[in-house]
Amino acid sequence: MSYWNHRKPVRRARAVDVHGAARAAVEVLDEGGLRALTARAVAGRLGVAPASLYSRVESVDDLFDLALDAALGDDVGISRAIAEDGIDALMLAYFRHLVRHRWACQVIAMRPPRGPHYLRLSERLVVLLVEEGAADPLANAYTLSNFVIGSATTAHVAGSEPEAPVDGAAAPTYSALHRQESGRGAEQAVVMGLAALRKSLSGN
């Protein structure tokens, strides 16, 4: 169950601040990845006992939910894109956000993001697609988002991928194309991939 479906009420004046816990969880994840996130690690950053943290969350899964949404909400670039940009720039800003927080893609694979900041992103994307006249805005939104999430997941190896040899005898066409595109970076690949996806989804 998502944290957003069972938030614990504050029952004491000096209860742990849930926003502070969320940001502490982001710091732990940025520094150590998924395995580093424990109630003890977050409580230590807050200067409280783990039991105090559990007055606001039920499990580490809740901390994943909180961290995922807090990281997005604190990202000035994605906030600006949600407020001002069109689909292509919004998706590129989302890609950059996920690359900065590599653990976020793993959390999304485990727990559907349903926090307020992620809902704001989802709402903006489907509204833009509706305004464009997309036949199936929700399906298009999932397609674009999943492409960006997948691209961000592999972005850290994009620089070395062109150097990995391709057996031309086993895959001659792929090998030839691979040599032609060897200088493409991760972000350029996302821009080109989004353009191709958008063209395909529009039916043009």
Side-chain angles (χ1 to χ4, degrees):
M1 180 183 295
S2 169
Y3 166 83
W4 309 106
N5 296 330
H6 66 87
R7 302 181 214 189
K8 284 191 172 183
V10 179
R11 291 194 172 92
R12 53 186 181 179
R14 299 184 66 182
V16 170
D17 173 44
V18 73
H19 301 294
R23 288 180 172 85
V26 171
E27 292 175 1
V28 171
L29 287 162
D30 281 344
E31 293 175 11
L34 265 62
R35 293 185 179 182
L37 186 65
T38 64
R40 185 174 298 277
V42 173
R45 287 180 183 258
L46 296 173
V48 301
S52 297
L53 182 61
Y54 281 120
S55 70
R56 300 306 310 276
V57 300
E58 291 189 352
S59 66
V60 172
D61 285 343
D62 283 355
L63 293 174
F64 281 129
D65 291 337
L66 287 165
L68 188 67
D69 205 62
L72 193 76
D74 287 343
D75 190 318
V76 175
I78 191 72
S79 295
R80 184 183 301 115
I82 291 171
E84 302 174 0
D85 291 339
I87 293 173
D88 295 335
L90 177 60
M91 289 292 93
L92 186 58
Y94 186 37
F95 168 77
R96 290 169 177 163
H97 167 77
L98 294 173
V99 170
R100 283 192 292 272
H101 302 283
R102 284 172 53 182
W103 52 269
C105 294
Q106 296 171 280
V107 175
I108 291 169
M110 300 186 301
R111 306 185 62 76
R114 292 294 183 268
H117 297 297
Y118 259 90
L119 290 180
R120 184 168 167 247
L121 170 61
S122 298
E123 176 70 8
R124 180 59 177 162
L125 179 55
V126 294
V127 165
L128 288 170
L129 287 163
V130 168
E131 290 175 350
E132 280 194 351
D136 192 338
L138 187 59
N140 286 15
Y142 282 137
T143 300
L144 294 171
S145 296
N146 287 339
F147 169 72
V148 168
I149 292 166
S151 297
T153 301
T154 59
H156 66 288
V157 298
S160 59
E161 194 277 338
E163 300 171 4
V166 175
D167 185 346
T173 303
Y174 174 59
S175 177
L177 292 171
H178 186 268
R179 287 195 300 272
Q180 294 173 18
E181 301 297 334
S182 60
R184 184 184 300 172
E187 189 162 309
Q188 184 185 4
V190 169
V191 171
M192 296 178 69
L194 282 170
L197 265 180
R198 299 261 286 134
K199 182 177 180 180
S200 175
L201 291 171
S202 68
N204 296 328

